[in-house]
Amino acid sequence: MAIRTFEEYYARLEKMSRNLYLGSEKIARTDERLQGGIRIIKETYDRAHDPQFQELCTATSHLTGEKINRFCHIHQSVEDLLKKQQMTRVLCHRVGGCIQRCMGIDALNALSVITFEMDQALGTDFDARFRKYLQYFQENDLVASCAQTDTKGDRLKRPHQQEDPDLYVRVVETRPDGIVVRGAKINITNTPYADEIIVVPTRFMTQKDHEYAVAFALPADADGVKILVRPAYHHKRTRLKAPIAEVGDGEAFIIFDDAFVPNERVFLNGQEDPRQTPFAGFLALLFAHYHRHSYTGCKPAVSEVLASAAALVAEYNGIEREGHVRDKISHLIGTAELVYAAGVASAYRAEISPSGTCIPDEILTNAGRRLAGEEIYNEYKVLADLAGGLVATLPLEESFYHKEVGPLAQKYLKRNPKITAENIHRCFRGIENILASDLACVMQIAGLHGGGSPQMETITMMARYDLERLKGIAKYLFGIEDQLPPYERETVTPRKLLERFRGLPEKG
Amino acid sequence: MAIRTFEEYYARLEKMSRNLYLGSEKIARTDERLQGGIRIIKETYDRAHDPQFQELCTATSHLTGEKINRFCHIHQSVEDLLKKQQMTRVLCHRVGGCIQRCMGIDALNALSVITFEMDQALGTDFDARFRKYLQYFQENDLVASCAQTDTKGDRLKRPHQQEDPDLYVRVVETRPDGIVVRGAKINITNTPYADEIIVVPTRFMTQKDHEYAVAFALPADADGVKILVRPAYHHKRTRLKAPIAEVGDGEAFIIFDDAFVPNERVFLNGQEDPRQTPFAGFLALLFAHYHRHSYTGCKPAVSEVLASAAALVAEYNGIEREGHVRDKISHLIGTAELVYAAGVASAYRAEISPSGTCIPDEILTNAGRRLAGEEIYNEYKVLADLAGGLVATLPLEESFYHKEVGPLAQKYLKRNPKITAENIHRCFRGIENILASDLACVMQIAGLHGGGSPQMETITMMARYDLERLKGIAKYLFGIEDQLPPYERETVTPRKLLERFRGLPEKG
Amino acid sequence: MAIRTFEEYYARLEKMSRNLYLGSEKIARTDERLQGGIRIIKETYDRAHDPQFQELCTATSHLTGEKINRFCHIHQSVEDLLKKQQMTRVLCHRVGGCIQRCMGIDALNALSVITFEMDQALGTDFDARFRKYLQYFQENDLVASCAQTDTKGDRLKRPHQQEDPDLYVRVVETRPDGIVVRGAKINITNTPYADEIIVVPTRFMTQKDHEYAVAFALPADADGVKILVRPAYHHKRTRLKAPIAEVGDGEAFIIFDDAFVPNERVFLNGQEDPRQTPFAGFLALLFAHYHRHSYTGCKPAVSEVLASAAALVAEYNGIEREGHVRDKISHLIGTAELVYAAGVASAYRAEISPSGTCIPDEILTNAGRRLAGEEIYNEYKVLADLAGGLVATLPLEESFYHKEVGPLAQKYLKRNPKITAENIHRCFRGIENILASDLACVMQIAGLHGGGSPQMETITMMARYDLERLKGIAKYLFGIEDQLPPYERETVTPRKLLERFRGLPEKG
Amino acid sequence: MAIRTFEEYYARLEKMSRNLYLGSEKIARTDERLQGGIRIIKETYDRAHDPQFQELCTATSHLTGEKINRFCHIHQSVEDLLKKQQMTRVLCHRVGGCIQRCMGIDALNALSVITFEMDQALGTDFDARFRKYLQYFQENDLVASCAQTDTKGDRLKRPHQQEDPDLYVRVVETRPDGIVVRGAKINITNTPYADEIIVVPTRFMTQKDHEYAVAFALPADADGVKILVRPAYHHKRTRLKAPIAEVGDGEAFIIFDDAFVPNERVFLNGQEDPRQTPFAGFLALLFAHYHRHSYTGCKPAVSEVLASAAALVAEYNGIEREGHVRDKISHLIGTAELVYAAGVASAYRAEISPSGTCIPDEILTNAGRRLAGEEIYNEYKVLADLAGGLVATLPLEESFYHKEVGPLAQKYLKRNPKITAENIHRCFRGIENILASDLACVMQIAGLHGGGSPQMETITMMARYDLERLKGIAKYLFGIEDQLPPYERETVTPRKLLERFRGLPEKG
């Protein structure tokens, strides 16, 4: 069986070369300040071995027929998409937020489609190469970062127009045995404790940008890869141990300082073969699409975690029956349900692409992800509202155990008389972690931007939605046209776009 | 085949007794001012005969195996729920809004569950009685109103506490052959041109309210039934004929002035048998539930009609490429998709009740319906925003054909030079109907309140949602409890409540 | 004393030539269908004679020292601006919405500034001409429409670029004794019962658009003026007389079919003297500015009317103590207070321009007007929410007095037992007028677009706001610059822009 | 002159007794972790000596005629209120947020009214006592905390009903020379570096709660006072020094462990004289009222700081001309202007109370504060939206100066080519402080709850607003009453409530 244990994963981390930079230090992957993120990844290994979760957290490899961790799986069916979505939701409940491993599965699924399509269109042999890499990935049950966001320099210029040509990752040299890449990718979660970095383009590329049309995978500690780390973690608890206090985050600013990628790990290279350039955009799009579908799993969980804390503190504050409290909580729940429903409906409308990989509906996925992004700050507001100011002013844990003032501090914590002071303390301490910490801010911002901000979802939706067909309704009702358009809107997947693109002349 | 034609329906209307009161007149069911509503119902007959729509608009009766109009069908499967939802959306596109016939199917489905459950619990024989009525209904392809909302008097008092005992519909006498009912039901769409009125309770009833626990069906022109009508319709077009200008609405204030209901049409009677009283609430709930699920079909269509008009007028105004325009339209589309997705996901989570009738998930249905209700006024605002003030100031149609000023009026209508003045006129005239008319206001208010206002959906959601389980997430994360609750929330249907209720002692 | 009576105004209307077109008819100014609007104007005359309101509704002419109707007054001080704002609010309460006479005062104030400025800049003699017209206007206590919005044709093209050169009002000929104008102005309230039409440009004009740079006044029944009318009014009450049922609206589509304007009524003419062209934009801006300031008076009143009806129906429905009800009403009140406060603060920051006319702060005025526009649909939603569906389904008034069903209808209206059925009827009938009528839609759309939609206020704010100075705060805080900018933002008035403009070379 | 220097203030801090508890430590008032807060207070001293700011930041004592720091002043006029509001806005710009000294001035103003009123009503001598304390306060230019929020225990019970009688601060003993107090106050900003703690009640008290009706002042280091501290501060900068990085916050959980208060510092004592009990509520209300008016000064500044950073980063990201960017920024500006306008209009409607102290309008103040609170999370969202994810993933400052990766990190920071990498770094580093830090969360939560959450403002507004008068508008319009209520709403101040209360029998 290809499902590894957390201990095996951790042992791998310990063996990796040192290329993490934290402030002025060079640190180990198992540095104390990264343990919070590692603790989250642990959940993805432990649950795959947990009988209660195996149906969700494992899958059968279509390559080998072996049972694998679902985070390494290529979706073969609607059922796979639904299970991935549910797995994401359930695991996020367990860590109080982002499960940090979906980037890998999202990148792999996108590559599985695009390598196949390229081969069909160009007669290349990327799909076999990718399948070989995928098998290695599944057998070793690897954790991958997907590095997409380039630094982008002047946002009004295309990659090749920048003053400094390195502001998007590019191929500086194609050698017989591989390529040399230069540039940086930013805003990448989990890289400090990932095994692999999968690099995909950040946008559509024109022919003049062909050397920026590149996709590949590298071990995270490969030569020439330098990772600037920004960790977020909580004040360490001494008495009131709690899962929420143990989680953390490690963000990366990844620099490819002329790193070499061997051919078997290169999946797109416009520099060598400019005909591949247009596929950069489709890959960018498709990774974003899978990642947004993953958000229809994790974001409902985030809403539920916030709603859960809100409901608990409302009970502890004795206000849980008040109308405005129930109204506010019901809206957190409603957002969770609507975003999840968008992902579910999107999966039920999915199409099997010629590669065999299942692609969910794009309009629904984007509508769901957008709602989540639009609501995230408001959701934090609701929890802050119901918790009250104390979460931002709570004295440090140790003060409650100080021999002089500790007993007094505990005495004055009492609220709902049925709840012990310790549980009230645990509740506010936990909400402090959720709401008033470095990590809280990172989660807010990730909830807004991760997978693409609402602005991006709007753009994607409107780029894909068939507005002419929509206008047909008004034209019929207003007597401008005699007939309504056919009654069902088409399922919209990037696959459709790909098909349309094949028939189109190229633009510059 | 049991599917009738519009002509047969219309002939029935013509034959019915006169009990419609409009202002100071007593009018025929086919009065000019009701033709707009009748025009809408026509669509439900015509499409059932239209090959392109038959898969959606017809079904196979589980009673007879005959092909019937889907509006008469009891949902036997997830597929049935999905088709009903899609049929609703598609037909609403064709009439620019509410299709006005879902109340019947929603009431029938609710009755199919509750009559069965009552028989199981109390050993009564309502289910057979209902099935007989259903078969008659299906064979005659009837249009039914469902009359639920009582006048309710003092909202702080229960039915039996009101100064006037008639402020909720009640059984004033049970005779061997039937019952005599008194009271009024308000806010009922379509009754002026419906064949049947199905009456269900408006709320849970306590034992003291037992004589208010009543459900029955009557022909709309039965003795003792008096219908006060409020029609809404558009200024009649003389030149620019258009579907949107032909639709209308007839609302009813139905008075049961000691009307007699024969036993075979009585489906609940707490006055005779107080053990039936608690089922009043479940029936109220279940009708509302099916009706809200229907809203997940019609409201996306309403959003799409508004979005369609917005996109068309943006094109005609030449502003369709502007960022804020696309953003606004994308939000109309997003609401449509999210509400529809909630209904779809709700159907996929449906449960087959012991009666064989399929009941969708309640949390999802309510979350979807609520979003629709919360957004409705904002959606009108978006269309008004993009259309501009002209829709509220447009001179009457005839002015554009007046021999002196008509040519000038046409000249000054021109906008986007690719669009003819007539089409611009059609577009603004159509949006006038949607946005600046009596009917527009009725649609806004129906969009808010129909099927229950957002306030009601919040109450329903919170009454059913398992908050303790939700709190379990925070308790685990905060170290208050060791285990998370099971990872999937239960599907919530009124059926569950029914089961829970059976085990509970009764409250007064 | 120059303050006329309503009877004098009405007598003038009766004497005017017939140039109103309603559908296929040519109608009198005192046509039944226009009485609702006339009833509103009546309030502006009656209150000026009412001792209780004289302080607000009259002013002292700076031209003659005579007491005049405030609707004819040029603001000489902050006090004048505050009184105009309060007068507007108070009169709007009395008619349940728009008072329909502010356009005149807003146009006159704008002209008083611009004619003076033009004379200063160009050595023309417009100010004396305007003052003479103003004195005539004050002495006859006239009602004026201000016609600003052109039909605009293709919105992506400037006036002179349109296929049809008449899509903006223009001077087709300058004669020794006056000008001939052609074009149409749309979306103009009150013209069917106004004495005068004051025409101002709709936008900035480039030199190539010079023949479109024109402002003038004409009697509303002048030769060549053709007014296409769209009235909105309520179903006539037979029993339950009420002020809300008597108001109405008359919108106009005004065609200038080569109308002649004598020189003493021409206030800007770029065709004759292209140096005047740039002042077209300033006049457009300044009229909009005064009109938006008037909205900080009327829109709070609209919010209060809606809040008032919401509070009353909540009482009648017996739900006035519920938390969500109070919350919703408090937000209507809050919007009223904030919008009004914006106008007040704007007045306190006003500047006296060299012409002597007082100009309020532009950022504040726009921020206030925008909030009002953004909230208007939501405010209608709140009233609909608290009133319930009955306002859209209420049978016609006559049904409640029908000998057969009237007593039953009354019986079933009863709610809060302390309130008579008649008062409940009055309440729902009144809300029907506010919420579910042709006029309701016009008021919604006017609340959004009147004086400029929120989009326009955002554009104005951002065009005028000193963003560089704002960025100075961040530059200081982030260590990019050493000093903060001066601590008070400048008062922003169109006057400032005018000054800036004088020093600038002209753009094409 | 009574205006002290920052150095004098700092010297006082150094001399104070140690009663601060941080985690398990007992720390000095000048501890490194409190320097951020002290840095903010510094601004209030330095600007009072800065000629450019003296008009705003100083005032003339009505007690002594001496020039004093405005933070020690009792508002004698509308002008004073306006200057206090403006001072608050301007100083908040300088520290990027809360100026942390308004609590003192707000508490003193509230006490100046209530002590006078109590003397009038009860013949006591509190006003003279308060004036003596005030003179001492002004002469020493003290910094005060106002401790209002009790721990409150079970929120459904009144103080005397709690299981533990100490869950609201109370007088446990009245001695001839003073009182002994017990209890705790929470959520108190600035106490760790304040000179004085002024204690006021948190709510209305019934007669049974009389021993909880207490107000007094104590030096912050008085015997029996124990302060649990929670500091928030930024990662210390090594290279890119910036004001935003130097600010911080110290929150306090203050325990009164049987602390003795000498009579000259006691301003309300219901335990000794139960007739004073009702004044507890008025004092609670009036402090909250002044504090909310202060928020109409500080919150516009917070919005402006966020808008400023948003505008700057939009420029640096090269997207400042995009429509959605300008729209978002304009809404931050709009909120700032509307909240400030509410405070200005509230000041212009102020009333001079019999004590001579000026009290602003309550409806307007609450409407303004509420809008600020409702928008705060959304404002952070806008900044996060325009800044992009990098603010949450930015590597630590030192990494940019690391000899190996520093130059690469700088290279990849470049965006808008006109902006140096260092300035881009400064900008993102600064926004990191604002948006992604411990302090950011504290500011969000303080922006929501400080001075009372939106929920509290709604309650206050609705408790004070004359709804019957408002309903009068609808009653007139609907024909239920013949006359409209008088046309101006009353100015609403707590003073009015006080008057009304005097005439009322007491409730229990």
Side-chain angles (χ1 to χ4, degrees), chain B residues 163-376:
Chain B
E163 286 191 9
D164 177 344
D166 303 336
L167 295 184
Y168 286 74
V169 167
R170 65 179 176 122
V171 181
V172 287
E173 188 188 350
T174 300
R175 298 183 192 161
D177 56 343
I179 59 176
V180 178
V181 292
R182 186 187 299 160
K185 295 279 189 176
I186 57 173
N187 303 344
I188 320 293
T189 302
N190 101 3
T191 322
Y193 33 89
D195 299 296
E196 291 274 315
I197 299 169
I198 301 174
V199 172
V200 301
T202 207
R203 60 184 291 176
F204 273 83
M205 300 289 172
T206 64
Q207 279 306 327
K208 290 187 177 160
D209 300 314
H210 65 102
E211 69 189 36
Y212 300 92
V214 60
F216 59 88
L218 272 181
D221 62 347
D223 282 352
V225 175
K226 293 166 182 178
I227 300 171
L228 278 53
V229 177
R230 180 201 174 91
Y233 45 90
H234 293 302
H235 192 80
K236 202 164 178 91
R237 301 275 188 93
T238 54
R239 306 272 185 137
L240 301 172
K241 300 285 183 186
I244 195 68
E246 316 244 317
V247 299
D249 174 57
E251 297 288 337
F253 185 122
I254 309 172
I255 298 169
F256 297 97
D257 192 13
D258 289 355
F260 175 75
V261 188
N263 278 337
E264 63 268 25
R265 285 171 160 275
V266 176
F267 306 122
L268 171 72
N269 182 1
Q271 200 240 20
E272 185 182 33
D273 174 4
R275 295 177 312 150
Q276 295 175 26
T277 306
F279 289 90
F282 292 112
L283 181 52
L285 198 74
L286 202 52
F287 167 68
H289 182 45
Y290 277 112
H291 203 38
R292 287 174 197 169
H293 190 262
S294 288
Y295 266 82
T296 68
C298 68
K299 267 296 295 145
V302 170
S303 301
E304 284 160 344
V305 167
L306 294 169
S308 174
L312 188 67
V313 77
E315 179 195 337
Y316 284 13
N317 280 341
I319 56 170
E320 65 183 329
R321 306 301 310 170
E322 306 241 337
H324 76 97
V325 173
R326 292 176 74 78
D327 191 64
K328 285 164 186 164
I329 292 174
S330 86
H331 275 86
L332 297 185
I333 294 169
T335 298
E337 295 284 327
L338 288 167
V339 174
Y340 198 76
V344 166
S346 173
Y348 278 115
R349 291 186 74 127
E351 286 187 352
I352 302 288
S353 80
S355 67
T357 307
C358 202
I359 309 178
D361 179 77
E362 207 173 358
I363 300 294
L364 278 161
T365 294
N366 278 280
R369 166 66 186 89
R370 181 172 68 178
L371 180 66
E374 288 174 338
E375 286 298 311
I376 184 72

Side-chain angles (χ1 to χ4, degrees), chain C residues 470-482:
Chain C
L470 181 73
K471 287 183 203 162
I473 299 174
K475 286 181 180 168
Y476 168 77
L477 290 171
F478 297 171
I480 294 169
E481 285 180 3
D482 284 344

Side-chain angles (χ1 to χ4, degrees), chain D residues 197-208:
Chain D
I197 299 169
I198 300 174
V199 172
V200 301
T202 208
R203 61 184 289 177
F204 273 83
M205 299 289 172
T206 64
Q207 279 306 326
K208 289 188 178 160

